[in-house]
Amino acid sequence: MATRIRPQSNKRCAVIGGSGFLGRHLVEKLLDRGYSVSVFDIRQSSELPGVSFHQGDLCDQQALLPALKDVSLVFHCASPAPASDDRALFERVNIQGTQTVLRACMEAGVQKLVLTSSASVVFEGTDIKNGREDLPYAKKPIDYYTQTKIVQEKLVLEACDKQKGFLTVAIRPHGIFGPGDPQLVPILVDTARRGKMKVIIGDGSNLVDFTFVENVVHGHILAAERLRPDSPICGKPYHITNDEPVRFWDFMSEVLVGLGYAAPRYHLPYALVYGLALLLWLLSLILRPLISFKPTFTPMRVALAGTHHYYSCERAKEDLGYKPVVSLKEGIERTVKSYPHLRHGA
Ligand SMILES: NC(=O)c1ccc[n+]([C@@H]2O[C@H](COP(=O)([O-])OP(=O)(O)OC[C@H]3O[C@@H](n4cnc5c(N)ncnc54)[C@H](O)[C@@H]3O)[C@@H](O)[C@H]2O)c1
Ligand SMILES: CC(C)CCC[C@@H](C)[C@H]1CC[C@H]2C3=C(CC[C@]12C)[C@@]1(C)CC[C@H](O)[C@@](C)(C(=O)O)[C@@H]1CC3
């Protein structure tokens, strides 16, 4: 087992959303790097030695304050899951809740805030190739979750105020995967088990970023450590990727085959699948009062699976000294190994 370094007093931080997939990996790495960490989350995952846990809803300022006491640095990586598809919840937590987090940081005297945003804040369902951070925010984001992530990112970056001694930065990851991920691999396996992962949308050549969780964590910590009044990163967003855009369908196939499932092989035209997904979605809305069904092939998923969307992390390389620490190949191997219960036949 790795020995942990004893925390120094200037290395006190809080992770809001620290019980989640990314949050948990972030907390572990912060502990390894000698930080003392308090976690604030609405639910507790298994305990970690040396972490003080505070349970509460981030929309409640009074509940947040004890977790931020004597803390100079806050990571905010809490959000409802995109799949929850609950507009009121996204708005309450990602928008009003983030305003509450900002007020609580001010009241507690926090100096730095690192937000986990998303690269999808600029994605409108059409191709993005090597997109840089200066792309405009999506006017028609792919879903309401992403709409609230846009507002959240703006709120946090606009709150950066050197005069007040409060500095902010946003990290925009895309397609985070790795051990403990409750979304991408489990949803993929569930789709395969229901016999619905047989088809490749389009010609299968579309490139996408999938980012191993430890690289995302590395980007967050670099940003936190570079965030100083004289640094160019204040108030800016940064793409953090594996810097290895991959064919969407090659990535899916590698994970599926690694877990013992067949790779998809029949091709269908993108426009046809997108049209069908749109029709199904409309039907599900119309029939909602009578029957409730959730289509697997939502327009959002089809757009994510059938378009190019990969991003440049040059700005992070230049300003943060970022470089991925785990390759895509190794990331996939470690991820596949971590899901024995999702293997075919398990
Ligand atoms: N997973 C991805 O591929 C991906 C991609 C881009 C951006 N992101 C962003 O990364 C962040 C972390 O995502 P994740 O995949 O680890 O999700 P996750 O669901 O595993 O973790 C989110 C955590 O937030 C907590 N939370 C939710 N509502 C809360 C509330 N009201 N008060 C306190 N805690 C609350 C949850 O309990 C959970 O522990 C999110 O901001 C998400 O938008 C994720
Ligand atoms: C239409 C397709 C054939 C559907 C089958 C593939 C599907 C299982 C995946 C396609 C894109 C994936 C994805 C997520 C879940 C699994 C897929 C839908 C994602 C919604 C998980 C949450 C993340 O936050 C995410 C929104 C992100 O932006 O990274 C994921 C996007 C990709």
Short mmCIF file of all heavy atoms in Angstrom, two decimals, residues 82-83 118 120 142-143 145-146 173-176 181 183-185 187-189 191 196-197 199 201 210 248-249 252 273 296-298 300-305 309, ligand 2:
data_model
loop_
_atom_site.label_atom_id
_atom_site.label_comp_id
_atom_site.label_asym_id
_atom_site.label_seq_id
_atom_site.Cartn_x
_atom_site.Cartn_y
_atom_site.Cartn_z
N PRO A 82 -26.61 12.82 -15.55
CA PRO A 82 -27.35 13.24 -16.76
C PRO A 82 -28.53 12.31 -17.04
O PRO A 82 -29.58 12.76 -17.49
CB PRO A 82 -26.31 13.13 -17.87
CG PRO A 82 -24.99 13.05 -17.21
CD PRO A 82 -25.18 12.60 -15.81
N ALA A 83 -28.34 11.02 -16.75
CA ALA A 83 -29.41 10.05 -17.07
C ALA A 83 -30.66 10.24 -16.20
O ALA A 83 -31.71 9.68 -16.50
CB ALA A 83 -28.87 8.64 -16.91
N SER A 118 -17.90 20.63 -18.35
CA SER A 118 -17.96 19.55 -19.33
C SER A 118 -17.62 20.12 -20.71
O SER A 118 -18.01 21.25 -21.03
CB SER A 118 -19.37 18.97 -19.36
OG SER A 118 -19.53 18.15 -20.50
N SER A 120 -18.94 19.27 -23.26
CA SER A 120 -20.20 19.33 -24.02
C SER A 120 -20.87 20.70 -23.97
O SER A 120 -21.87 20.90 -24.66
CB SER A 120 -21.18 18.27 -23.49
OG SER A 120 -20.64 17.00 -23.69
N ILE A 142 -27.22 19.80 -26.25
CA ILE A 142 -27.85 18.52 -26.58
C ILE A 142 -28.92 18.09 -25.57
O ILE A 142 -29.76 17.28 -25.90
CB ILE A 142 -26.82 17.37 -26.72
CG1 ILE A 142 -25.80 17.40 -25.57
CG2 ILE A 142 -26.17 17.39 -28.08
CD1 ILE A 142 -24.99 16.14 -25.48
N ASP A 143 -28.88 18.62 -24.37
CA ASP A 143 -29.93 18.27 -23.40
C ASP A 143 -29.97 19.33 -22.29
O ASP A 143 -29.13 20.22 -22.25
CB ASP A 143 -29.71 16.86 -22.80
CG ASP A 143 -28.34 16.71 -22.16
OD1 ASP A 143 -27.65 17.72 -21.98
OD2 ASP A 143 -27.96 15.58 -21.83
N TYR A 145 -29.49 18.96 -19.08
CA TYR A 145 -28.34 18.82 -18.16
C TYR A 145 -27.20 19.72 -18.65
O TYR A 145 -26.62 20.49 -17.87
CB TYR A 145 -27.93 17.34 -18.13
CG TYR A 145 -26.50 17.07 -17.73
CD1 TYR A 145 -26.10 17.09 -16.39
CD2 TYR A 145 -25.52 16.80 -18.69
CE1 TYR A 145 -24.79 16.84 -16.04
CE2 TYR A 145 -24.21 16.55 -18.35
CZ TYR A 145 -23.85 16.57 -17.02
OH TYR A 145 -22.54 16.33 -16.67
N THR A 146 -26.89 19.64 -19.96
CA THR A 146 -25.79 20.43 -20.51
C THR A 146 -26.11 21.93 -20.47
O THR A 146 -25.23 22.75 -20.22
CB THR A 146 -25.48 19.97 -21.95
OG1 THR A 146 -25.36 18.55 -21.95
CG2 THR A 146 -24.19 20.56 -22.46
N PRO A 173 -13.89 18.14 -18.87
CA PRO A 173 -13.54 16.80 -19.35
C PRO A 173 -14.58 16.31 -20.35
O PRO A 173 -15.63 16.93 -20.52
CB PRO A 173 -13.59 15.94 -18.09
CG PRO A 173 -14.37 16.72 -17.09
CD PRO A 173 -14.62 18.10 -17.60
N HIS A 174 -14.27 15.21 -21.01
CA HIS A 174 -15.26 14.59 -21.89
C HIS A 174 -15.16 13.07 -21.81
O HIS A 174 -14.07 12.52 -21.86
CB HIS A 174 -15.05 15.03 -23.34
CG HIS A 174 -16.17 14.58 -24.20
ND1 HIS A 174 -16.13 13.39 -24.89
CD2 HIS A 174 -17.40 15.11 -24.42
CE1 HIS A 174 -17.28 13.23 -25.52
NE2 HIS A 174 -18.07 14.25 -25.24
N GLY A 175 -16.32 12.43 -21.65
CA GLY A 175 -16.36 10.97 -21.67
C GLY A 175 -15.41 10.34 -20.66
O GLY A 175 -14.53 9.57 -21.01
N ILE A 176 -15.61 10.68 -19.38
CA ILE A 176 -14.70 10.14 -18.36
C ILE A 176 -15.00 8.65 -18.19
O ILE A 176 -16.16 8.24 -18.11
CB ILE A 176 -14.90 10.84 -17.00
CG1 ILE A 176 -14.92 12.37 -17.18
CG2 ILE A 176 -13.81 10.43 -16.03
CD1 ILE A 176 -15.22 13.13 -15.88
N ASP A 181 -16.81 3.85 -12.53
CA ASP A 181 -17.74 4.70 -13.28
C ASP A 181 -19.14 4.08 -13.27
O ASP A 181 -19.31 2.93 -13.67
CB ASP A 181 -17.20 4.83 -14.73
CG ASP A 181 -18.31 5.14 -15.73
OD1 ASP A 181 -19.18 5.96 -15.39
OD2 ASP A 181 -18.28 4.57 -16.83
N GLN A 183 -21.70 5.11 -14.99
CA GLN A 183 -22.53 5.47 -16.15
C GLN A 183 -22.09 4.81 -17.44
O GLN A 183 -22.78 3.91 -17.95
CB GLN A 183 -22.51 6.99 -16.32
CG GLN A 183 -23.03 7.72 -15.11
CD GLN A 183 -23.13 9.19 -15.34
OE1 GLN A 183 -24.13 9.67 -15.85
NE2 GLN A 183 -22.10 9.93 -15.00
N LEU A 184 -20.94 5.25 -17.97
CA LEU A 184 -20.62 4.85 -19.35
C LEU A 184 -20.58 3.33 -19.55
O LEU A 184 -21.35 2.78 -20.34
CB LEU A 184 -19.29 5.50 -19.74
CG LEU A 184 -19.15 5.81 -21.22
CD1 LEU A 184 -18.20 6.97 -21.44
CD2 LEU A 184 -18.74 4.65 -22.04
N VAL A 185 -19.70 2.64 -18.81
CA VAL A 185 -19.57 1.18 -19.01
C VAL A 185 -20.85 0.44 -18.57
O VAL A 185 -21.35 -0.40 -19.32
CB VAL A 185 -18.29 0.64 -18.33
CG1 VAL A 185 -18.23 -0.88 -18.44
CG2 VAL A 185 -17.06 1.26 -18.98
N ILE A 187 -23.95 1.48 -18.57
CA ILE A 187 -25.03 1.71 -19.56
C ILE A 187 -24.72 0.92 -20.84
O ILE A 187 -25.59 0.30 -21.44
CB ILE A 187 -25.21 3.22 -19.89
CG1 ILE A 187 -25.62 4.01 -18.66
CG2 ILE A 187 -26.25 3.41 -21.00
CD1 ILE A 187 -25.75 5.53 -18.88
N LEU A 188 -23.46 0.93 -21.22
CA LEU A 188 -23.04 0.20 -22.43
C LEU A 188 -23.33 -1.31 -22.28
O LEU A 188 -23.90 -1.94 -23.19
CB LEU A 188 -21.55 0.45 -22.66
CG LEU A 188 -20.91 -0.24 -23.83
CD1 LEU A 188 -21.49 0.29 -25.14
CD2 LEU A 188 -19.39 -0.01 -23.84
N VAL A 189 -22.95 -1.87 -21.14
CA VAL A 189 -23.14 -3.31 -20.92
C VAL A 189 -24.64 -3.64 -20.86
O VAL A 189 -25.10 -4.63 -21.44
CB VAL A 189 -22.40 -3.76 -19.63
CG1 VAL A 189 -22.85 -5.15 -19.19
CG2 VAL A 189 -20.90 -3.75 -19.87
N THR A 191 -26.98 -2.08 -22.35
CA THR A 191 -27.48 -2.01 -23.74
C THR A 191 -27.11 -3.29 -24.49
O THR A 191 -27.93 -3.86 -25.23
CB THR A 191 -26.89 -0.76 -24.45
OG1 THR A 191 -27.03 0.36 -23.59
CG2 THR A 191 -27.60 -0.47 -25.76
N LYS A 196 -28.98 -4.73 -27.84
CA LYS A 196 -29.16 -3.52 -28.64
C LYS A 196 -27.83 -2.88 -29.06
O LYS A 196 -27.82 -1.73 -29.49
CB LYS A 196 -29.99 -2.50 -27.85
CG LYS A 196 -31.43 -2.96 -27.66
CD LYS A 196 -32.23 -1.89 -26.97
CE LYS A 196 -33.70 -2.29 -26.92
NZ LYS A 196 -34.50 -1.32 -26.17
N MET A 197 -26.71 -3.63 -28.92
CA MET A 197 -25.43 -3.05 -29.34
C MET A 197 -24.91 -3.77 -30.57
O MET A 197 -23.74 -4.16 -30.62
CB MET A 197 -24.41 -3.11 -28.18
CG MET A 197 -24.51 -1.99 -27.18
SD MET A 197 -24.46 -0.31 -27.85
CE MET A 197 -22.79 -0.16 -28.43
N VAL A 199 -25.47 -2.45 -33.76
CA VAL A 199 -25.43 -1.55 -34.90
C VAL A 199 -24.42 -0.42 -34.72
O VAL A 199 -24.33 0.17 -33.64
CB VAL A 199 -26.85 -0.95 -35.10
CG1 VAL A 199 -26.83 0.15 -36.13
CG2 VAL A 199 -27.81 -2.04 -35.52
N ILE A 201 -23.55 3.32 -35.91
CA ILE A 201 -24.27 4.43 -36.54
C ILE A 201 -23.32 5.16 -37.49
O ILE A 201 -22.27 5.63 -37.06
CB ILE A 201 -24.82 5.39 -35.46
CG1 ILE A 201 -25.76 4.62 -34.54
CG2 ILE A 201 -25.52 6.58 -36.09
CD1 ILE A 201 -26.22 5.41 -33.35
N PHE A 210 -12.41 10.03 -25.18
CA PHE A 210 -12.74 9.36 -23.93
C PHE A 210 -11.54 9.57 -23.03
O PHE A 210 -10.39 9.39 -23.46
CB PHE A 210 -13.01 7.86 -24.15
CG PHE A 210 -14.32 7.63 -24.86
CD1 PHE A 210 -14.37 7.38 -26.21
CD2 PHE A 210 -15.51 7.71 -24.15
CE1 PHE A 210 -15.57 7.20 -26.87
CE2 PHE A 210 -16.73 7.54 -24.80
CZ PHE A 210 -16.76 7.28 -26.16
N PHE A 248 -15.19 6.41 -32.08
CA PHE A 248 -16.18 6.11 -31.06
C PHE A 248 -16.46 4.60 -30.99
O PHE A 248 -16.48 3.99 -29.93
CB PHE A 248 -17.48 6.88 -31.35
CG PHE A 248 -18.59 6.59 -30.37
CD1 PHE A 248 -18.77 7.37 -29.25
CD2 PHE A 248 -19.44 5.50 -30.56
CE1 PHE A 248 -19.78 7.09 -28.34
CE2 PHE A 248 -20.44 5.21 -29.65
CZ PHE A 248 -20.62 6.01 -28.55
N TRP A 249 -16.65 4.00 -32.18
CA TRP A 249 -17.07 2.59 -32.23
C TRP A 249 -15.92 1.65 -31.92
O TRP A 249 -16.15 0.53 -31.46
CB TRP A 249 -17.75 2.28 -33.57
CG TRP A 249 -19.01 3.08 -33.66
CD1 TRP A 249 -19.19 4.25 -34.33
CD2 TRP A 249 -20.24 2.82 -32.98
NE1 TRP A 249 -20.45 4.73 -34.12
CE2 TRP A 249 -21.13 3.87 -33.30
CE3 TRP A 249 -20.69 1.80 -32.14
CZ2 TRP A 249 -22.44 3.93 -32.81
CZ3 TRP A 249 -21.99 1.85 -31.65
CH2 TRP A 249 -22.85 2.91 -31.99
N MET A 252 -15.93 1.66 -28.03
CA MET A 252 -17.04 0.83 -27.51
C MET A 252 -16.74 -0.65 -27.73
O MET A 252 -16.95 -1.48 -26.84
CB MET A 252 -18.36 1.18 -28.23
CG MET A 252 -18.88 2.57 -27.93
SD MET A 252 -19.34 2.71 -26.19
CE MET A 252 -19.12 4.45 -25.94
N VAL A 273 -31.05 6.76 -38.16
CA VAL A 273 -31.11 6.44 -36.73
C VAL A 273 -31.52 7.67 -35.92
O VAL A 273 -32.32 7.59 -35.00
CB VAL A 273 -29.75 5.89 -36.22
CG1 VAL A 273 -29.84 5.46 -34.77
CG2 VAL A 273 -29.30 4.72 -37.07
N THR A 296 -33.89 3.54 -25.50
CA THR A 296 -32.42 3.41 -25.38
C THR A 296 -31.75 4.39 -26.35
O THR A 296 -30.76 5.03 -26.03
CB THR A 296 -31.98 1.98 -25.77
OG1 THR A 296 -32.78 1.07 -25.05
CG2 THR A 296 -30.51 1.73 -25.49
N PHE A 297 -32.32 4.47 -27.56
CA PHE A 297 -31.72 5.29 -28.60
C PHE A 297 -32.29 6.70 -28.55
O PHE A 297 -33.18 7.06 -29.30
CB PHE A 297 -31.97 4.66 -29.98
CG PHE A 297 -31.24 3.37 -30.16
CD1 PHE A 297 -31.70 2.21 -29.59
CD2 PHE A 297 -30.06 3.32 -30.89
CE1 PHE A 297 -31.02 1.01 -29.74
CE2 PHE A 297 -29.37 2.12 -31.05
CZ PHE A 297 -29.85 0.97 -30.46
N THR A 298 -31.81 7.51 -27.62
CA THR A 298 -32.29 8.89 -27.54
C THR A 298 -31.52 9.73 -28.57
O THR A 298 -30.39 9.39 -28.94
CB THR A 298 -32.02 9.47 -26.14
OG1 THR A 298 -30.61 9.46 -25.93
CG2 THR A 298 -32.70 8.66 -25.05
N MET A 300 -29.96 12.37 -28.11
CA MET A 300 -28.70 12.79 -27.50
C MET A 300 -27.64 11.69 -27.65
O MET A 300 -26.51 11.94 -28.06
CB MET A 300 -28.95 13.11 -26.03
CG MET A 300 -27.78 13.63 -25.26
SD MET A 300 -26.84 12.34 -24.46
CE MET A 300 -27.54 12.27 -22.85
N ARG A 301 -28.02 10.45 -27.36
CA ARG A 301 -27.06 9.35 -27.47
C ARG A 301 -26.63 9.13 -28.92
O ARG A 301 -25.46 8.84 -29.18
CB ARG A 301 -27.66 8.06 -26.91
CG ARG A 301 -27.68 8.07 -25.40
CD ARG A 301 -28.16 6.75 -24.85
NE ARG A 301 -28.25 6.84 -23.40
CZ ARG A 301 -28.71 5.88 -22.63
NH1 ARG A 301 -29.14 4.76 -23.16
NH2 ARG A 301 -28.75 6.03 -21.31
N VAL A 302 -27.59 9.25 -29.83
CA VAL A 302 -27.24 9.05 -31.24
C VAL A 302 -26.25 10.13 -31.68
O VAL A 302 -25.25 9.83 -32.35
CB VAL A 302 -28.52 9.04 -32.13
CG1 VAL A 302 -28.14 8.96 -33.60
CG2 VAL A 302 -29.42 7.87 -31.76
N ALA A 303 -26.50 11.36 -31.25
CA ALA A 303 -25.57 12.45 -31.62
C ALA A 303 -24.19 12.18 -31.01
O ALA A 303 -23.16 12.37 -31.67
CB ALA A 303 -26.11 13.79 -31.13
N LEU A 304 -24.17 11.71 -29.76
CA LEU A 304 -22.87 11.44 -29.12
C LEU A 304 -22.14 10.29 -29.81
O LEU A 304 -20.92 10.26 -29.86
CB LEU A 304 -23.08 11.08 -27.64
CG LEU A 304 -23.44 12.25 -26.72
CD1 LEU A 304 -23.90 11.74 -25.36
CD2 LEU A 304 -22.25 13.19 -26.55
N ALA A 305 -22.93 9.33 -30.32
CA ALA A 305 -22.33 8.12 -30.90
C ALA A 305 -22.01 8.27 -32.38
O ALA A 305 -21.24 7.48 -32.93
CB ALA A 305 -23.28 6.93 -30.70
N HIS A 309 -16.56 14.46 -32.12
CA HIS A 309 -16.43 15.54 -31.13
C HIS A 309 -15.23 15.25 -30.26
O HIS A 309 -15.25 14.46 -29.36
CB HIS A 309 -17.72 15.81 -30.31
CG HIS A 309 -18.40 14.60 -29.79
ND1 HIS A 309 -18.43 14.29 -28.46
CD2 HIS A 309 -19.08 13.64 -30.41
CE1 HIS A 309 -19.09 13.17 -28.31
NE2 HIS A 309 -19.50 12.75 -29.47
C1 LIG B 2 -27.31 5.09 -29.90
C2 LIG B 2 -26.27 4.20 -29.37
C3 LIG B 2 -26.13 2.94 -30.16
C4 LIG B 2 -26.53 3.96 -27.93
C5 LIG B 2 -25.60 2.98 -27.30
C6 LIG B 2 -24.32 3.54 -26.80
C7 LIG B 2 -24.48 4.13 -25.39
C8 LIG B 2 -24.53 3.01 -24.39
C9 LIG B 2 -23.38 5.14 -25.12
C10 LIG B 2 -23.21 6.12 -26.28
C11 LIG B 2 -22.65 7.41 -25.69
C12 LIG B 2 -22.42 7.04 -24.23
C13 LIG B 2 -22.31 8.16 -23.28
C14 LIG B 2 -22.85 8.09 -21.99
C15 LIG B 2 -23.54 6.85 -21.56
C16 LIG B 2 -23.39 5.66 -22.52
C17 LIG B 2 -23.56 6.09 -23.94
C18 LIG B 2 -24.94 6.73 -24.04
C19 LIG B 2 -22.87 9.29 -21.08
C20 LIG B 2 -24.29 9.79 -21.21
C21 LIG B 2 -22.63 8.94 -19.63
C22 LIG B 2 -22.63 10.21 -18.77
C23 LIG B 2 -21.55 11.21 -19.21
O1 LIG B 2 -21.54 12.35 -18.40
C24 LIG B 2 -21.72 11.61 -20.66
C25 LIG B 2 -22.89 12.50 -20.83
C26 LIG B 2 -20.53 12.49 -21.13
O2 LIG B 2 -20.70 13.58 -21.66
O3 LIG B 2 -19.41 12.11 -21.05
C27 LIG B 2 -21.75 10.30 -21.50
C28 LIG B 2 -21.73 10.55 -22.96
C29 LIG B 2 -21.48 9.30 -23.73
#
